[in-house]
Amino acid sequence: MKAPNVTKNRFSGLSYKLIATIIGVILLVEIVIYFPSLASFRTTWLQDRLRVGVVAARVLDAVPDVLALPRNLTDRLLGSAGADAIVYRREGQSQLIERTEPVMPERVVTADLRQTDLGSQVMGALDTLFAGPGRTLRIVGEGDNDEALVELLMPENPLRRDMIDYSRGIILVSFGIAAVTAFVLYMLVSTLFLDPILRVTNNMLRFRKAPENGSLILSPSTRRDEIGILERELSAMEQDLFSMLRQRRHLADLGLAVAKINHDLRNTLTSAQLLSDQVATLDDPKVQRLAPRLVTTLDKAIGFAQSVLDFGREATAPPKFAPVMLHELVEDAALDARAAGNPMLDWKNGVPEELELEADPSQLGRVFVNLMKNAREALEAYSREGFQGRIAVEAQTSDAEVIISVIDNGPGLPPRARDNLFVAFEGSARSGGTGLGLAIAREITEAHGGALALGESDVGTRFDITLPLHRPQL
C-alpha cells in the first residue's frame, strides 16, 4: 500500500495558512497606515490650493482697488486654484475675488487647515472620501502673517476624485508589497521550518503503515534547534519500535512453538503418569521406594506444562466492573485455593462483611486464589513438628480505596524470589514453580486501576492489594 503524503501540493495545509497569515498581517498594517496617509494627501492637496489663494492675497495687497483688476487676471487666479471665489481677510477688512458668474453653493463644508491634529485630519479625509457629489469646499488657512486669513470656495469633487485615485494606487501598491513580502517570507520559512516538518510528518505516516520496514526509519539532520531534536527523538523512537516489533515477532513465533511442544509434552507426561500409577501397584520393594518420587516428579512436570498453557491462553479482555461483596469473594477464593477448610491450616477472613467495591469478580477472585494458593503451598512445604500454618486476609479502607492484605506465617520469600517477584518463570519461591501466579495477579490488579506489592512483615509473607472502591468516571 502506498503511504499517503501530508500535502498534495506545496501551497496547502500549513503553507496556505502561512501565506494567508502573512498577507493578512501586511494588509492590516497597510490599512493602519492608509488613513494617516490619506489624511496627509488631503492636507497637502488643500495646502496647494491655499497657496494660490495666498498669491491672490498678495495681488490684492498690491492693488488699491480690487475692482480695477482686469477680469482675465482674476479668472486666471481663480482657475489656477480651481476655486470659485477667494476671500482675503486682514485687520477686520475683507476682499473678495470671484468669477464673472458667481456660483451659489447649496452645501458647504469647511476644511480648516489651522487644525493640525491627526484625528481631525483623518476624520476630514473620511468625510470627503465618502461624501456624495455636489458639495462645495470652504478652505480656510493663514496668509503671509498671523493676522491674515485666506478662504477659498471650490467644488469638492476634484479633491474627492484625486483621493479615490490615490486610494486605488495605495491598494495596488499594498497588494503588490504583500504578495512579494509573503512570497519571500514563505520561501524563507518554508526552507527553515515547513519543509522539515513536512518531511517528519510524511515519515511518520509512512512508518505507521510499515513499522517493520527499516528503510523508513528517519535519518535525522544535524540541526541543533527544536526541529533537530524532534528528528533525532523520532528516529530513536522508530528504531526502538522497529527492534521491539522484530523481537515480539520472534517471541511470538517462539511462544507458538513452545506451546505446541508443551502440549505434546503434557500429553506424554500424562501417559507416563498413568504408567507410573500402574508401576506403583507392583510388590517389588525397589519399585515401592522409587514410585512415589517418580509420581511426584511427573505431577510437577504436568503442573508446570499446564501452567504454561494457561498463561499462554490468558485472556486480555478488560475487567467487567460490577458491585462485589469482598468478604464473600475472599471466602470463595479461599475454598478454591484449599486454604479454608484445610485441617492443617488456620484460616481467617478479616474482611468486613459489609465492604463493597466495584470490580470484576471473576478476575479479582483469581488474584486471591493465586496468592492464597502460593501461601498454602509454602506452608505445606514448611511443615514442622508443632508448627501450625496460618493464612489471613485483612482489609483497611479509606475514602477512595481499600488495601487488602494476604498474610501467612510461613518461611517468607528468598532473596532470589524478591528480586524477580512478579516476573513470569523467574519469580517462583519454590522448586519447580513457574512464578506465573504472581505475574497474573499483578496484571489483573493493574487492570483494575490498583497495585500489588510485597508488604512488610516480621514473620512469613504479606502481599498488599490496593484497589479503588469505585470505578473512575471517565
Side-chain angles (χ1 to χ4, degrees), residues 241-457:
L241 183 60
F242 173 77
S243 301
M244 183 184 67
L245 290 176
R246 292 192 64 181
Q247 183 182 23
R248 179 170 294 183
R249 171 176 288 187
H250 293 168
L251 291 176
D253 295 339
L254 180 61
L256 181 60
V258 170
K260 293 181 179 179
I261 296 172
N262 197 62
H263 183 272
D264 296 336
L265 178 62
R266 188 192 61 171
N267 293 336
T268 304
L269 291 174
T270 302
S271 301
Q273 186 183 35
L274 295 176
L275 293 176
S276 65
D277 292 340
Q278 296 178 5
V279 171
T281 60
L282 298 178
D283 295 332
D284 192 328
K286 293 184 179 180
V287 172
Q288 292 296 325
R289 187 175 66 254
L290 297 177
R293 297 178 60 185
L294 176 62
V295 172
T296 301
T297 303
L298 289 174
D299 287 341
K300 290 183 178 179
I302 293 173
F304 180 83
Q306 184 62 44
S307 63
V308 172
L309 289 176
D310 293 341
F311 182 75
R313 291 194 297 263
E314 180 67 22
T316 58
K320 297 180 179 179
F321 289 89
V324 175
M325 301 303 298
L326 190 58
H327 182 89
E328 297 179 4
L329 183 66
V330 170
E331 194 69 33
D332 293 340
L335 292 173
D336 294 339
R338 290 187 294 169
N342 191 326
M344 299 180 61
L345 299 174
D346 286 340
W347 158 247
K348 178 183 178 182
N349 186 352
V351 178
E353 296 185 0
E354 70 278 3
L355 181 56
E356 181 182 86
L357 75 160
E358 294 186 26
D360 187 318
S362 176
Q363 294 189 15
L364 189 57
R366 291 191 60 188
V367 175
F368 294 121
V369 169
N370 288 339
L371 293 178
M372 286 187 281
K373 180 181 177 183
N374 289 345
R376 176 184 59 79
E377 292 176 348
L379 292 172
E380 290 175 350
Y382 187 65
S383 178
R384 298 287 188 275
E385 183 177 355
F387 173 78
Q388 182 64 39
R390 295 191 305 272
I391 300 177
V393 177
E394 301 175 353
Q396 296 179 352
T397 60
S398 63
D399 294 337
E401 63 182 19
V402 57
I403 301 178
I404 310 162
S405 300
V406 180
I407 309 170
D408 67 68
N409 64 338
L413 295 175
R416 187 185 69 86
R418 291 174 180 268
D419 295 338
N420 303 283
L421 190 58
F422 299 105
V423 180
F425 304 105
E426 296 185 15
S428 177
R430 59 185 176 86
S431 176
T434 61
L436 295 178
L438 289 178
I440 294 173
R442 183 187 64 173
E443 291 180 357
I444 294 176
T445 305
E446 291 178 348
H448 280 72
L452 173 62
L454 178 65
E456 297 293 335
S457 178

Side-chain angles (χ1 to χ4, degrees), residues 98-271:
E98 61 180 351
R99 294 186 180 274
T100 306
E101 298 178 0
V103 178
M104 300 301 295
E106 296 180 359
R107 293 182 299 164
V108 179
V109 59
T110 300
D112 193 346
L113 296 182
R114 293 172 297 178
Q115 296 179 349
T116 58
D117 60 289
L118 182 60
S120 300
Q121 292 179 355
V122 171
M123 294 303 297
L126 294 177
D127 180 66
T128 300
L129 185 64
F130 295 104
R135 293 200 314 184
T136 297
L137 188 62
R138 174 175 171 261
I139 306 173
V140 181
E142 295 179 352
D144 291 343
N145 52 68
D146 296 338
E147 298 179 356
L149 191 65
V150 179
E151 298 182 12
L152 277 77
L153 290 177
M154 59 174 296
E156 191 181 32
N157 284 338
L159 173 59
R160 183 170 178 271
R161 183 171 56 251
D162 290 346
M163 291 177 62
I164 292 175
D165 293 340
Y166 176 80
S167 301
R168 187 181 296 111
I170 288 291
I171 292 174
L172 294 177
V173 172
S174 298
F175 274 107
I177 294 175
V180 173
T181 305
F183 178 77
V184 173
L185 290 178
Y186 167 76
M187 296 304 298
L188 179 62
V189 174
S190 178
T191 302
L192 294 178
F193 303 106
L194 291 182
D195 288 347
I197 292 176
L198 290 175
R199 174 173 172 262
V200 170
T201 308
N202 285 326
N203 174 265
M204 292 173 61
L205 291 176
R206 293 191 183 98
F207 188 81
R208 176 179 175 272
K209 294 294 182 180
E212 297 183 7
N213 186 352
S215 63
L216 296 179
I217 296 177
L218 180 69
S219 298
S221 64
T222 58
R223 297 177 59 152
R224 296 187 178 182
D225 55 8
E226 288 80 357
I227 293 180
I229 296 175
L230 173 64
E231 292 176 343
R232 288 189 290 273
E233 292 299 322
L234 178 61
S235 178
M237 183 184 67
E238 290 178 347
Q239 292 177 10
D240 294 342
L241 183 60
F242 173 77
S243 301
M244 183 184 67
L245 290 176
R246 292 192 64 181
Q247 183 182 23
R248 179 170 294 183
R249 171 176 288 187
H250 293 168
L251 291 176
D253 295 339
L254 180 61
L256 181 60
V258 170
K260 293 181 179 179
I261 296 172
N262 197 62
H263 183 272
D264 296 336
L265 178 62
R266 188 192 61 171
N267 293 336
T268 304
L269 291 174
T270 302
S271 301

